């Protein structure tokens, strides 16, 4: 906790943003940092609530000890706040930027709509860690002689690799793309997280003995069976990449795209790389001067909105089949869980037109090229209402309705074909493994992150990577000092 009466004396403040008219002109982060003193005041608002729901099962998935580091920041002890935060979270500079903050939803002060600015304090602690030199390699004192391979370098793979490396194992991370980071690098726009934060962590991990093999498409360039033969354990952290099928007529028209190829292309442009990706090949997609329609109401859809504005789109319309949520939730019926209420992302606030309770009936085109999106209103059961049809002009349309499991090619094809790995009962083909030992049906092969649990948050991926690392270390050594 912070100051006993802090929540009564200090108003909630969070990072402010550059004006929308300024930030849509670039792809850099646009939050305006708060001073240390301002952050310390916000940490002081952490109250003596008795039961800190913020880091319980309804709040932070990785169980950040939020009241503890809030108290340390309030007292100006940033060094120990950094150590405390890193004890549960390998990459707080990631989560402090892109996590939706379920911890703030679960904060006791959220009963009054004034939760502690946990996410702002977390990002400030992480950024202070770089300033003060805490983000440096921490190599193990001795090596175990065990070799572990990690397939995929997203947040789950990175967290697991760092933990296993610090336990003394010889860790090799295999990444299909040219740089590590997975969809955290290639899927999340730079205006939400600049990629030099990933680069810094990769450099730290290399200093701790972790080896990265980029441009290696496991299952294509290097069989999984070969990895299992060369290593004592293999951890599969391939993510959830298959776009959910929308089944909308006309989706084969020119100008209609899944969201991810579009986002990956722009991230590669910003990173100075060729736009063609191993997993997301596509001809150039640019929204400049275009009327854009985004189908979907989640974070990926919002990222498409922000990217389109920065590319110079004339108009961006976002379609959501769900009803428009209430401005304020009924606290006593939903707190401390994540509430369904009207939320406006920074990208949506840049000028998107939002349509709720609307279904996409058809993509309309002329001579094979998209010209419009036919829509209609739907009832509470998402059934079309006759006579409510309308057409939105569109030159580009992006489908962003989620992901349905790992990429079908590469690792998944080999595992499901030759190795007959067990998958869950859903059509998503997630790899079957529990959240205790993370073992798959294939001997010495483990799975963690979205490839196991389905599409989820970066913070959940970090948690699963850490827990899988603990399970692997225990299996290899008989016991483990890694935290779970």
């Amino acid at each position: 906790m912070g100051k006993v009466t802090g929540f009564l004396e200090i108003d909630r403040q969070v990072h402010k943003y550059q004006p929308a008219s300024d930030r849509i002109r670039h792809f850099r982060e646009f939050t305006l940092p708060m001073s240390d003193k301002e952050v310390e005041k916000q940490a002081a608002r952490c109250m003596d609530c008795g039961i800190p729901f913020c880091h319980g099962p309804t709040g932070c998935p990785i169980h950040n000890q939020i009241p503890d580091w809030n108290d340390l920041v309030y007292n100006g002890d940033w060094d120990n706040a950094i150590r405390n935060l890193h004890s549960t979270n390998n990459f707080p500079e990631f989560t402090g930027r892109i996590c939706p903050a379920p911890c703030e939803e679960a904060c006791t002060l959220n009963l009054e709509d004034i939760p502690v600015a946990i996410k702002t304090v977390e990002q400030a602690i992480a950024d202070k860690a770089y300033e003060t030199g805490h983000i440096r390699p921490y190599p193990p004192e001795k090596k175990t002689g065990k070799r572990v391979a990690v397939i995929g370098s997203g947040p789950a793979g990175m967290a697991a690799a760092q933990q296993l490396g610090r336990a003394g194992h010889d860790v090799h991370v295999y990444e299909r793309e040219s740089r590590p980071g997975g969809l955290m690098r290639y899927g999340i726009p730079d205006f939400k997280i600049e990629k030099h934060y990933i680069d810094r962590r990769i450099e730290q991990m290399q200093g701790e003995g972790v080896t990265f093999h980029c441009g290696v498409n496991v299952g294509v360039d290097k069989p999984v069976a070969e990895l299992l033969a060369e290593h004592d354990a293999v951890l599969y952290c391939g993510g959830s990449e298959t776009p959910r099928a929308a089944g909308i007529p006309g989706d084969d028209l020119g100008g209609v795209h899944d969201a991810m190829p579009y986002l990956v292309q722009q991230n590669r442009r910003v990173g100075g790389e060729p736009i063609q990706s191993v997993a997301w090949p596509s001809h150039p997609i640019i929204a400049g001067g275009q009327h854009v329609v985004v189908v979907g109401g989640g974070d990926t859809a919002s990222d498409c909105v922000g990217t389109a504005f920065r590319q110079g789109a004339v108009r961006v319309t976002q379609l959501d089949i769900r009803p428009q949520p209430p401005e304020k939730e009924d606290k006593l019926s939903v707190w401390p869980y994540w509430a369904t209420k009207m939320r406006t992302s920074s990208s949506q606030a840049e000028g998107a037109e939002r349509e709720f309770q609307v279904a996409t009936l058809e993509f309309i085109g002329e001579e094979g090229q998209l010209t419009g999106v036919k829509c209609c209103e739907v009832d509470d059961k998402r059934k079309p209402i006759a006579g409510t049809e309308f057409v939105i002009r569109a030159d580009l349309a992006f489908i962003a309705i989620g992901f349905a499991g790992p990429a079908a090619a590469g690792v998944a094809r080999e595992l499901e074909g030759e190795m007959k790995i067990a998958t869950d009962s859903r059509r998503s083909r997630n790899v079957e493994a529990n959240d205790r030992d993370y073992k798959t049906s294939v001997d010495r092969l483990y799975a963690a992150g979205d490839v196991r649990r389905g599409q989820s948050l970066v913070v959940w991926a970090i948690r699963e990577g850490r827990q899988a690392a603990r399970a692997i270390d225990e299996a290899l050594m008989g016991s483990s000092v890694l935290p779970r």
Side-chain angles (χ1 to χ4, degrees):
M1 59 169 286
K3 186 179 181 182
V4 175
T5 57
F7 70 98
L8 297 171
E9 302 168 8
I10 302 166
D11 292 333
R12 169 181 162 89
Q13 297 289 335
V14 296
H15 285 147
K16 291 183 172 58
Y17 295 157
Q18 291 177 357
S21 58
D22 292 338
R23 66 180 188 250
I24 62 171
R25 299 176 186 275
H26 61 78
F27 280 88
R28 301 184 302 277
E29 291 181 17
F30 50 80
T31 53
L32 304 175
M34 297 168 64
S35 68
D36 288 357
K37 291 300 179 185
E38 290 173 320
V39 174
E40 289 169 9
K41 286 176 64 177
Q42 291 307 304
R45 296 185 64 248
C46 189
M47 63 189 297
D48 187 8
C49 59
I51 299 176
F53 289 91
C54 58
H55 69 83
T58 60
C60 180
I62 49 178
H63 304 301
N64 280 337
Q65 300 170 84
I66 295 164
D68 294 352
W69 45 254
N70 271 327
D71 186 63
L72 291 165
V73 169
Y74 162 57
N75 286 291
D77 190 353
W78 288 82
D79 283 355
N80 279 318
I82 291 165
R83 293 187 183 93
N84 187 297
L85 179 52
H86 274 116
S87 71
T88 57
N89 186 353
N90 294 66
F91 315 120
E93 69 275 25
F94 301 169
T95 53
R97 284 171 166 79
I98 57 180
C99 183
C103 52
E104 293 190 17
E105 288 283 303
C107 177
T108 302
L109 285 174
N110 193 38
L111 286 166
E112 297 293 329
D113 290 314
I114 51 171
V116 175
I118 299 169
K119 183 175 174 178
T120 295
V121 176
E122 179 180 24
Q123 181 178 335
I125 295 172
D127 291 346
K128 176 69 76 173
Y130 281 109
E131 294 174 16
T132 55
H134 280 79
I135 311 299
R136 62 180 186 273
Y138 294 93
E141 293 182 0
K142 60 180 181 179
K143 290 287 191 176
T144 64
K146 302 291 186 180
R147 285 170 55 89
V148 181
V150 178
I151 304 172
S153 65
M158 285 181 65
Q162 184 162 62
Q163 293 295 94
L164 289 165
R166 289 177 174 177
H169 304 304
D170 182 16
V171 182
H172 293 261
V173 181
Y174 293 85
E175 169 56 44
R176 177 188 59 206
E177 300 293 341
S178 54
R179 297 177 186 174
L183 288 184
M184 190 166 57
R185 177 185 293 276
Y186 292 108
I188 299 175
D190 281 63
F191 56 79
K192 291 177 71 171
I193 178 170
E194 294 179 4
K195 303 311 184 286
H196 60 82
Y197 292 106
I198 301 174
D199 295 334
R200 283 176 170 178
R201 284 296 184 179
I202 298 302
E203 185 178 348
Q204 179 195 32
M205 292 168 65
Q206 288 172 330
E208 294 169 353
V210 176
T211 304
F212 288 86
H213 305 269
C214 293
V216 180
N217 192 355
V218 176
V220 177
D221 305 325
K222 190 176 183 69
V224 179
E226 191 174 309
L227 286 181
L228 285 166
E230 296 172 349
H231 298 83
D232 297 288
V234 176
L235 175 61
Y236 179 25
C237 298
S240 183
E241 298 178 313
T242 301
R244 195 174 301 280
I248 302 171
D251 60 3
D252 57 344
L253 288 169
V256 180
H257 306 274
D258 287 316
M260 200 50 66
Y262 175 58
L263 296 175
V264 169
Q265 265 192 29
Q266 186 55 40
N267 281 342
R268 293 178 74 91
R269 285 191 193 96
V270 174
E273 297 187 70
I275 64 170
Q276 289 300 329
S277 166
V278 175
W280 311 100
S282 178
H283 63 272
I285 312 169
I286 296 290
Q290 307 290 297
H291 289 71
V292 178
V293 171
V294 181
V295 180
D299 289 338
T300 302
S302 181
D303 292 344
C304 289
V305 170
T307 300
F309 278 130
R310 281 159 181 76
Q311 290 184 345
V314 173
R315 178 185 179 189
V316 181
T317 305
Q318 186 175 0
L319 307 179
D320 195 333
I321 199 170
R322 299 170 297 183
Q324 182 167 337
E327 291 291 334
K328 182 177 170 61
E329 74 274 29
D330 179 1
K331 296 289 186 184
L332 297 182
S333 67
V334 297
W335 181 88
Y337 297 96
W338 185 263
T340 298
K341 62 181 177 182
M342 189 65 175
R343 302 174 192 269
T344 301
S345 71
S346 59
S347 292
Q348 291 163 340
E350 290 162 1
E353 298 181 26
R354 302 171 71 183
E355 297 279 355
F356 289 95
Q357 210 159 350
V358 165
T360 306
L361 298 178
E362 181 183 3
F363 296 113
I364 301 170
E366 295 179 3
E367 299 180 356
Q369 185 63 37
L370 178 72
T371 58
V373 180
K374 185 178 180 181
C375 311
C376 74
E377 296 177 13
V378 297
D379 59 22
D380 292 341
K381 295 183 179 180
R382 299 187 178 183
K383 300 296 183 182
I385 300 173
T388 63
E389 296 85 359
F390 61 98
V391 175
I392 301 173
R393 176 183 170 183
D395 307 301
L396 278 176
F398 299 112
I399 303 172
I401 58 172
F403 300 90
V411 181
R413 182 175 296 164
E414 181 181 353
L415 291 178
E416 293 174 19
E418 299 172 22
M419 298 189 175
K420 308 296 183 185
I421 195 169
T423 57
D424 63 14
S425 58
R426 294 174 292 177
R427 288 178 295 174
S428 57
R429 304 177 359 268
N430 296 326
V431 174
E432 190 173 280
N434 63 48
D435 60 359
R436 296 180 300 279
D437 60 25
Y438 290 88
K439 291 180 179 179
T440 71
S441 60
V442 177
D443 185 41
R444 296 185 294 108
L445 179 66
Y446 301 75
D450 289 5
V451 77
R452 188 199 73 85
R453 66 177 289 117
Q455 69 172 58
S456 189
L457 304 175
V458 166
V459 69
W460 272 106
I462 293 173
R463 168 181 172 152
E464 295 222 344
R466 288 171 60 89
Q467 290 184 334
R470 158 83 187 215
I472 292 170
D473 185 43
E474 196 167 27
L476 294 179
M477 306 303 295
S479 63
S480 178
V481 298
L482 292 176
R484 193 176 189 283

